[in-house]
Amino acid sequence: MSSKSERRKSSPNAAGQAKKPTGRIRRKENQEFVADMNLRTLRPEELLHPAQLLARFTERATELISQLPQEARPTTATVNAALRQGVLEAFRTRDEHIARLVETDLLASTPEQGAKAIRRAVRASLIDMGVRVVEEADEQELFVVVEGEGDGFELVRPAYVDQATDKLLLAGQLRRVPAPRTLPEQGGTSAVDMRGDDAK
């Protein structure tokens, strides 16, 4: 009669097969994720508010303007209006960006959504926000070659460009590969025609 230790040795896991994640492992991973998110969370007093930001800018602008000659100084109303407009536009852009991230997070949190649907949603959001995603190697100035040999190129990572400023946000990556071979010209005569002549 075999002992318990002998039966344990003959089990599939003992034979070197990888263990599947258990419920305990998943719970531990979820707890670690929640703890990490809590560490990242800003406290309300650390968040920027439009009024507080405007007050800081106004204070600094007043200091700088006081250093200008009297005849070159803009009026206080002009400075305040310009600063207010700039702050409001910055927060409007921030709100739009946060809204996109919220939509993406909700999509990623939906169990029935696959990786392809999430990727398409992210790509659509980037394009809507004015980001051009370049996946063709024709614009080589947007890419860096990371590996490989040959005269051809294969995409490793797309390049991202801000369409408003034409600024490169993230360089793409290419891998060198052998250039595809092209078939030689037949001088207007196809292989079928040649076979037909032989048959005659």
Side-chain angles (χ1 to χ4, degrees):
M1 186 172 180
S2 61
S3 63
K4 289 183 179 179
S5 60
E6 289 174 346
R7 287 198 299 272
R8 209 178 292 127
K9 287 180 182 178
S10 62
S11 65
N13 285 336
Q17 293 184 358
K19 293 182 179 179
K20 293 183 179 180
T22 62
R24 184 177 180 182
I25 292 174
R26 289 197 180 94
R27 284 194 298 274
K28 183 181 178 183
E29 290 174 349
N30 289 337
Q31 289 170 357
E32 289 174 349
F33 175 76
V34 171
D36 182 50
M37 291 303 102
N38 288 337
L39 288 174
R40 291 171 180 264
T41 303
L42 290 171
R43 299 296 175 261
E45 63 272 10
E46 296 173 343
L47 293 173
L48 292 176
H49 297 279
Q52 295 174 356
L53 196 59
L54 183 59
R56 293 184 199 174
F57 285 167
T58 303
E59 182 180 355
R60 180 58 179 156
T62 303
E63 293 175 4
L64 295 174
I65 291 171
S66 64
Q67 300 173 12
L68 297 174
Q70 187 67 39
E71 62 276 7
R73 295 179 187 177
T75 63
T76 303
T78 302
V79 173
N80 288 343
L83 289 173
R84 179 179 175 80
Q85 183 66 25
V87 169
L88 290 177
E89 288 180 1
F91 271 86
R92 191 177 301 115
T93 302
R94 177 179 179 272
D95 289 344
E96 292 175 1
H97 177 63
I98 290 175
R100 292 289 185 179
L101 289 177
V102 167
E103 291 173 2
T104 304
D105 186 70
L106 285 173
L107 184 66
S109 302
T110 306
E112 62 269 18
Q113 293 293 341
K116 183 181 288 187
I118 295 171
R119 183 176 181 272
R120 286 176 176 174
V122 172
R123 178 65 57 85
S125 294
L126 286 173
I127 293 172
D128 290 345
M129 289 189 289
V131 176
R132 185 164 66 97
V133 183
V134 184
E135 295 182 293
E136 300 295 333
D138 298 341
E139 300 179 69
Q140 290 189 20
E141 68 277 6
L142 303 178
F143 294 86
V144 293
V145 179
V146 293
E147 58 186 11
E149 295 180 357
D151 297 325
F153 293 101
E154 182 180 71
L155 182 73
V156 176
R157 183 181 75 191
Y160 298 84
V161 180
D162 185 342
Q163 293 191 87
T165 62
D166 210 30
K167 177 183 177 183
L168 181 62
L169 301 172
L170 180 67
Q173 292 181 350
L174 297 174
R175 178 189 296 113
R176 285 190 178 276
V177 294
R181 287 185 293 180
T182 56
L183 294 174
E185 293 285 340
Q186 295 292 338
T189 304
S190 68
V192 174
D193 294 335
M194 293 174 69
R195 286 196 300 273
D197 291 340
D198 292 340
K200 292 177 184 178

